[in-house]
């Protein structure tokens, strides 16, 4: 199979999105940005053995490649316009490509976004490069630099699930024997098929002061907001939203209780907003702390005692332990 046959078989689909003037088939794509809005662009690389275990199903790899980029748009309160895909592959594996494309398009079609271009090449390591484009009004564009003292800090969904899901794959011997198969499946699904909070991001653009998606760890990503906004924060660990499956793990293995502070890959939205907006927010979220003038980051335990703060998360250049 040639490069062009690969593209034609797996990645050439009709696009009816009015935002796409030219899609796959020309040297460049052409997108129509809605009047009065700004173009937003984000790129993510996913490398086999670094961003996902080699055992990950091809469908899940495709799904996640789309999800993590949609999550970047969600964090900015943007609407999706189009996406490009670069594929570097050791060999052309028809069944892997078929499943990958199904996962990629499943999420793309759900959010009405078209693949408008990309490239393929032979490479020793399977690598994906996804560039996504969206748009937002200048006055409704969330950034990391808008947090203000007195703001509430909140997150969508639950956190720590993906970290436990990864641990269950990397080190299955560490899983508590009391976990049932449904709980394990839930945690691994949260790792492999994160839900991009696009609709929530559009709502937050109307009321929030700052936002980021939790890709590298709660404290690390919160730190990006604090530095950009020149503020500090207090986070209360007993307020963290934890799923029943994660609670079951922590009950059996308390040594992992701090994992939601540092584990990444949940792709939930972390945001700040004024307290008076909370009652009208209209989306599911949990308050976990507040923004302070004091530029320190403080983390409080259940007894409201200060905990040591270890701000670390995923480092793209650090050694990894992926199967």
């Amino acid at each position: 199979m040639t490069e062009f046959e690969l593209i034609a078989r797996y990645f050439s689909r009709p696009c009816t999105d009015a935002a796409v003037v030219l899609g796959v088939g020309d040297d460049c794509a052409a997108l129509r940005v809605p009047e009065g809005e700004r173009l937003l662009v984000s790129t993510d690389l996913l490398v086999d053995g670094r961003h996902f275990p080699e055992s990950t199903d091809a469908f899940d790899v495709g799904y996640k490649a789309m999800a993590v980029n949609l999550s970047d748009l969600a964090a900015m309160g943007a609407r999706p316009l189009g996406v490009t895909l670069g594929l570097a592959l050791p060999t052309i594996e028809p069944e892997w490509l078929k499943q990958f494309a199904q996962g990629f398009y499943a999420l793309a079609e759900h959010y009405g976004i078209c693949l408008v271009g990309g490239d393929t090449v032979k490479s020793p390591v399977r690598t994906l490069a996804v560039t996504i484009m969206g748009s937002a009004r200048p006055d409704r564009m969330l950034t990391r630099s808008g947090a203000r003292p007195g703001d509430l800090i909140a997150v969508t969904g639950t956190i720590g699930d993906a970290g436990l899901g990864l641990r269950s794959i990397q080190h299955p011997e560490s899983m508590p024997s009391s976990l049932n198969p449904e709980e394990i499946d839930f945690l691994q699904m949260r790792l492999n098929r994160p839900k991009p909070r696009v609709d929530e991001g559009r709502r937050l653009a109307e009321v929030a002061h700052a936002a980021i998606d939790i890709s590298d760890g709660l404290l690390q990503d919160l730190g990006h907001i604090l530095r950009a906004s020149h503020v500090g924060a207090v986070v209360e660990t007993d307020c963290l939203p934890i799923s029943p499956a994660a609670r079951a793990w922590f009950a059996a293995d308390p040594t992992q209780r701090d994992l939601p502070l540092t584990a990444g890959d949940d792709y939930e939205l972390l945001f700040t907003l004024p307290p008076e907006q909370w009652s009208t927010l209209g989306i599911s979220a949990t308050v976990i702390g507040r923004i302070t003038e004091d530029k320190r980051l403080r983390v409080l335990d259940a007894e409201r005692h200060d905990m040591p703060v270890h701000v670390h998360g995923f480092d793209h250049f650090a050694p990894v332990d992926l199967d």
Side-chain angles (χ1 to χ4, degrees):
M1 185 185 304
T2 68
E3 172 187 8
F4 301 108
E5 289 171 337
L6 183 158
I7 294 169
R9 179 178 297 185
Y10 301 107
F11 300 107
S12 293
R13 299 192 182 188
C15 178
T16 59
D17 189 342
V20 180
V21 180
L22 286 175
V24 175
D26 279 88
D27 289 323
C28 291
L31 302 179
R32 181 181 292 108
V33 180
E35 185 175 354
E37 298 192 359
R38 297 291 183 266
L39 179 67
L40 284 74
V41 181
S42 178
T43 297
D44 268 303
L45 287 171
L46 288 90
V47 180
D48 202 352
R50 171 159 287 271
H51 295 95
F52 52 90
E54 294 178 2
S55 60
T56 306
D57 289 343
F59 183 99
D60 291 339
V61 175
Y63 184 102
K64 191 168 185 177
M66 185 83 249
V68 302
N69 282 270
L70 281 167
S71 184
D72 284 333
L73 290 186
M76 301 284 288
R79 74 177 79 212
L81 293 179
V83 64
T84 67
L85 172 64
L87 276 177
L89 304 170
T91 59
I92 294 176
E93 302 175 63
E95 186 57 31
W96 189 93
L97 284 163
K98 176 183 175 182
Q99 296 295 323
F100 172 87
Q102 288 176 348
F104 188 86
Y105 277 108
L107 202 54
E109 290 171 358
H110 178 80
Y111 287 99
I113 183 169
C114 293
L115 180 67
V116 298
D119 198 9
T120 59
V121 68
K122 185 177 177 63
S123 167
V125 180
R126 184 184 289 142
T127 303
L128 320 173
V130 182
T131 296
I132 199 164
M133 291 147 283
S135 66
R137 283 171 37 185
D139 61 340
R140 294 284 178 87
M141 189 167 62
L142 288 169
T143 67
R144 303 175 181 182
S145 60
R148 306 171 190 173
D151 277 0
L152 302 177
I153 304 170
V155 294
T156 60
T158 56
I159 57 174
D161 298 323
L164 290 174
L166 180 59
R167 185 168 181 79
S168 73
I169 295 170
Q170 289 180 325
H171 303 290
E173 75 285 353
S174 72
M175 282 191 298
S177 58
S178 56
L179 286 186
N180 62 50
E182 290 77 17
E183 290 167 333
I184 297 170
D185 287 347
F186 171 82
L187 296 172
Q188 293 183 359
M189 187 65 70
R190 288 278 286 148
L191 170 69
N192 291 326
R193 299 188 192 178
K195 177 177 174 56
R197 301 293 185 176
V198 176
D199 295 335
E200 291 88 341
R202 298 296 303 281
R203 170 57 186 154
L204 290 175
E206 300 174 1
V207 295
H209 284 158
I212 192 172
D213 68 335
I214 302 177
S215 56
D216 298 329
L218 172 64
L219 293 185
Q220 181 161 288
D221 290 320
L222 175 59
H224 296 320
I225 289 180
L226 302 186
R227 285 187 292 275
S229 300
H230 307 290
V231 292
V234 174
V235 173
E236 301 181 30
T237 57
D238 61 336
C239 294
L240 298 179
I242 307 299
S243 70
R247 288 189 185 279
W249 187 312
F250 299 149
D253 182 8
T255 65
Q256 299 299 312
R257 287 187 182 277
D258 293 343
L259 181 141
L261 295 171
T262 57
D265 265 9
D266 284 316
Y267 294 98
E268 297 294 345
L269 296 184
L270 171 67
F271 59 95
T272 80
L273 80 168
E276 61 269 20
Q277 294 285 4
W278 181 253
S279 62
T280 63
L281 185 58
I283 65 171
S284 178
T286 304
V287 174
I288 64 168
R290 65 185 185 277
I291 296 294
T292 62
E293 289 188 16
D294 180 350
K295 294 183 181 179
R296 293 180 300 161
L297 171 58
R298 297 175 58 204
V299 180
L300 306 182
D301 63 20
E303 287 73 42
R304 298 189 62 78
H305 298 145
D306 282 276
M307 296 172 54
V309 178
H310 302 292
V311 181
H312 63 86
F314 185 78
D315 182 343
H316 292 267
F317 285 92
V320 293
D321 177 23
L322 289 178
D323 293 337

